[in-house]
Amino acid sequence: METNKTFTMIKPDAVAAGHIGAILDQIIKAGFTIKAMKYTYLTAQKAGEFYAVHQGRPFYNDLVSFMSSGPIVAAILEKDNAVADFRTLIGATDPTKADEGTIRKLFAKSIEANAVHGSDSDENAAIEGSFFFSGLEKF
Ligand code: RTP
Ligand code: MG
């Protein structure tokens, strides 16, 4: 299991608000290397599969429609301690609880439209990266 990679999405709210460049800038300045990246779109079915772990939670249906409401940027990132360091960089799920200077504090609109996704474990980072990228696209 690799411990130096994580997976992220810039979510539809942040793409629509024109924050792709500013968010990538923060990610790179924090020491992450972009290993793979694409500008793409999740259908409701694909969003449902991606967030299947949350099926049954009260926010699941809204989350699926939000995540399929517009284009996203998906990327695999590399850094020592990538999963934990990236979650520190993005801040708490609820932007009102996120630390100053974090990506969600700066760019998130709400607990749902919270600008970015970050994997929560090395195992999920590998699963989520493979959801979007083939072996050929990962180097
Ligand atoms: P993510 O998976 O997107 O990186 O976010 P996270 O770990 O911080 O939060 P998680 O608990 O995994 O929730 C996934 C996403 O669902 C939306 N959410 N909405 N309305 C709500 O109470 C609520 N709670 C979560 C957010 O978009 C959250 O990032
Ligand atoms: Mg999560």
Side-chain angles (χ1 to χ4, degrees):
M1 181 65 59
E2 290 184 292
T3 58
N4 64 341
K5 297 232 175 57
T6 192
F7 171 79
T8 187
M9 288 184 282
I10 302 177
K11 296 186 180 184
D13 60 308
V15 173
H19 295 319
I20 294 174
I23 289 172
L24 290 177
D25 194 47
Q26 297 255 340
I27 290 171
I28 292 162
K29 283 187 175 138
F32 292 86
T33 301
I34 297 169
K35 300 299 286 183
M37 183 163 71
K38 60 174 71 161
Y39 184 87
T40 186
Y41 172 80
L42 282 170
T43 61
Q45 184 179 334
K46 283 285 172 197
E49 277 174 45
F50 185 88
Y51 281 110
V53 63
H54 294 307
Q55 211 161 359
R57 301 245 190 125
F59 60 82
Y60 177 75
N61 288 341
D62 280 350
L63 175 62
V64 167
S65 49
F66 164 61
M67 286 303 296
S68 56
S69 66
I72 59 154
V73 173
I76 295 172
L77 306 174
E78 185 176 78
K79 183 184 180 297
D80 287 348
N81 201 34
V83 165
D85 285 1
F86 192 71
R87 289 186 69 96
T88 302
L89 178 68
I90 67 179
T93 310
D94 179 350
T96 66
K97 295 180 181 145
D99 288 343
E100 288 301 326
T102 60
I103 290 176
R104 283 171 168 164
K105 185 71 172 186
L106 289 166
F107 301 110
K109 293 191 165 123
S110 68
I111 191 169
E112 176 179 83
N114 60 2
V116 279
H117 165 80
S119 302
D120 60 11
S121 66
D122 293 334
E123 186 188 7
N124 283 336
I127 292 168
E128 292 169 0
S130 297
F131 188 91
F132 281 91
F133 298 97
S134 71
L136 275 177
E137 295 169 303
K138 291 185 276 186
F139 66 96

